[in-house]
Amino acid sequence: MRLLLILLVLALSAYAPAAFAQNAAEPPGFRVVNRAGGDATQLFAVRSPRGGQGDWGGNLLRPDRPLTEGGGFRVNPAADAGCRFDLRLVLADGREAVLRDQDICVNRNIDLANAGRPTAPAAARPLPVASPASRETPLAQPNQQARQVSTGTGFLIADERVMTNHHVIDGCNRVLLRTPSGHWLAASPPARMDAALDVALLNVPGLVGPALAFRTGPAVRRGEGVVAYGFPLAGLLSSDPKLTRGEVNGLRGIGDNPNQYQISAEVQPGNSGGPLVDMQGHIVGVVVSKLNAQAVSRRTGDIAQNVNFAVQGQAALAFARRAGVQPRVVESTGPERSTADVGEITHRSTVFIRCEK
């Protein structure tokens, strides 16, 4: 009889759902807790950024088993699902609670709270992007009479904190930033700068949004895929940001600089200060320069092709911490994302910088 019961249990377990389950005895996943103020009839958990694109997949709750207020539901993703998830809880009265880009490898218990009425159909909701905190945030406008203007790129590493290159803002009388939502905001002096490293940290009152996370491991390797994101050749090319994919070619920069990487992702003037991210959308560097092909040609008689450099992410992270900012840090584990997905993640936090002199 005991043997018969064991065989029956094994037979039943073979028919358990492979991707998601509610049984606490299933392999460890993460737990979603309903703190939204009522019983929930629908729960969705999909890899980021699918939820922000309106693709929520199927409802994980059974029609006859709503998730009560304070109740928990265990989600066991497939082994290759990665760590970043978008979550959505729908209450019986139609209110919703949504969280995006949650690191379920770090946070195994996620509360879904602050439910409200959806402002638009799910399929029409845009990805969250860095933008003014409220209508009270003072907006700015470019000075069309500025004597001299230069441009660059920056990215959000914490609320109201934007990282860029020192040379992008050096000598500026006024620094303006255009957010992904299209608003102009003014940086508030003074900026924190490290001229030798060529990085700077801007204070931008009212700018909030998803901040890019710095990668803390594993160590970056030669040949690893990376994506550069920014605003090259402003005024000549279109005003929207550009994405280029390449590889880490060398673990030191020009002149054997230990604080830089050499990369093959193509960059142009205007890319300076932009994020260099790995194939999970985590910061591994800050784009800083390209080799002067004309100068090299005069010296060697040959034309250098696609030799570019970025400040190493760990050096930039250490600078941010010295400046009193504690950015989000993560390990890059799990499968790589597509280049398009990495671009979507990076776009939300990348800003155009206008330097007026």
Side-chain angles (χ1 to χ4, degrees):
M1 183 65 179
R2 179 182 178 85
L3 178 61
L4 180 60
L5 287 174
I6 292 174
L7 291 175
L8 180 59
V9 169
L10 290 175
L12 289 173
S13 66
Y15 290 94
F20 298 100
Q22 195 171 357
N23 188 346
E26 291 289 333
F30 64 98
R31 187 167 179 264
V32 176
V33 180
N34 177 9
R35 307 285 188 195
D39 291 354
T41 58
Q42 299 178 67
L43 173 64
F44 304 89
V46 295
R47 285 183 60 183
S48 300
R50 283 177 56 190
Q53 297 168 338
D55 179 8
W56 285 105
N59 178 19
L60 303 182
L61 299 180
R62 287 170 44 178
D64 60 337
R65 295 187 65 180
L67 184 60
T68 58
E69 165 71 10
F73 185 96
R74 179 167 291 277
V75 181
N76 293 316
D80 61 350
C83 292
R84 315 302 299 194
F85 271 74
D86 294 342
L87 306 170
R88 176 172 163 237
L89 193 69
V90 182
L91 303 187
D93 61 7
R95 290 180 296 144
E96 298 183 4
V98 176
L99 285 176
R100 294 191 173 90
D101 202 28
Q102 298 298 296
D103 191 338
I104 58 94
C105 295
V106 173
N107 183 11
R108 296 289 187 178
N109 291 280
I110 301 175
D111 289 354
L112 276 168
N114 301 321
R117 295 289 177 184
T119 57
R125 291 193 195 113
L127 288 167
V129 297
S131 62
S134 69
R135 293 181 180 178
E136 288 72 38
T137 299
L139 302 181
Q141 290 297 327
N143 178 11
Q144 304 301 335
Q145 307 303 317
R147 178 175 56 86
Q148 186 177 348
V149 173
S150 59
T151 64
T153 304
F155 55 96
L156 202 67
I157 64 169
D159 281 351
E160 301 187 336
R161 297 294 185 269
V162 169
M163 182 167 282
T164 187
N165 288 147
H166 168 263
H167 76 260
V168 168
I169 64 165
D170 188 27
C172 302
N173 296 324
R174 186 169 179 246
V175 175
L176 300 181
L177 301 92
R178 189 180 69 223
T179 71
S181 61
H183 299 89
W184 286 96
L185 296 173
S188 177
R192 298 295 298 270
M193 296 179 286
D194 186 327
L197 194 59
D198 202 356
V199 289
L201 194 58
L202 299 174
N203 177 32
V204 188
L207 180 61
V208 299
L212 290 176
F214 282 81
R215 166 170 157 175
T216 56
V220 174
R221 300 184 299 164
R222 295 179 190 87
E224 188 169 337
V226 289
V227 167
Y229 203 80
F231 298 87
L233 301 173
L236 177 62
L237 302 181
S238 61
S239 62
D240 65 313
K242 309 298 185 297
L243 175 155
T244 56
R245 179 170 178 174
E247 296 175 340
V248 174
N249 302 126
L251 301 182
R252 292 189 173 228
I254 192 168
D256 214 25
N257 187 336
N259 291 318
Q260 293 183 353
Y261 295 127
Q262 181 181 325
I263 59 174
S264 65
E266 297 178 0
V267 299
Q268 308 293 339
N271 275 114
S272 291
L276 183 76
V277 299
D278 64 15
M279 298 313 297
Q280 291 195 16
H282 303 145
I283 299 169
V284 293
V286 184
V287 174
V288 68
S289 65
K290 62 182 295 184
L291 195 64
N292 188 322
Q294 291 181 336
V296 171
S297 178
R298 287 194 297 269
R299 182 172 178 178
T300 67
D302 194 13
I303 298 178
Q305 309 235 346
N306 203 23
V307 180
N308 311 302
F309 301 97
V311 177
Q312 292 191 11
Q314 287 303 299
L317 174 60
F319 162 75
R321 287 171 170 168
R322 291 195 302 271
V325 178
Q326 295 296 327
R328 189 163 59 95
V329 296
V330 294
E331 295 263 338
S332 279
T333 57
E336 294 185 348
R337 299 175 183 268
S338 71
T339 303
D341 284 348
V342 170
E344 291 284 350
I345 294 169
T346 312
H347 174 79
R348 294 177 278 176
S349 309
T350 305
V351 297
F352 175 80
I353 295 180
R354 174 185 169 97
C355 165
E356 296 179 352
K357 299 180 180 180

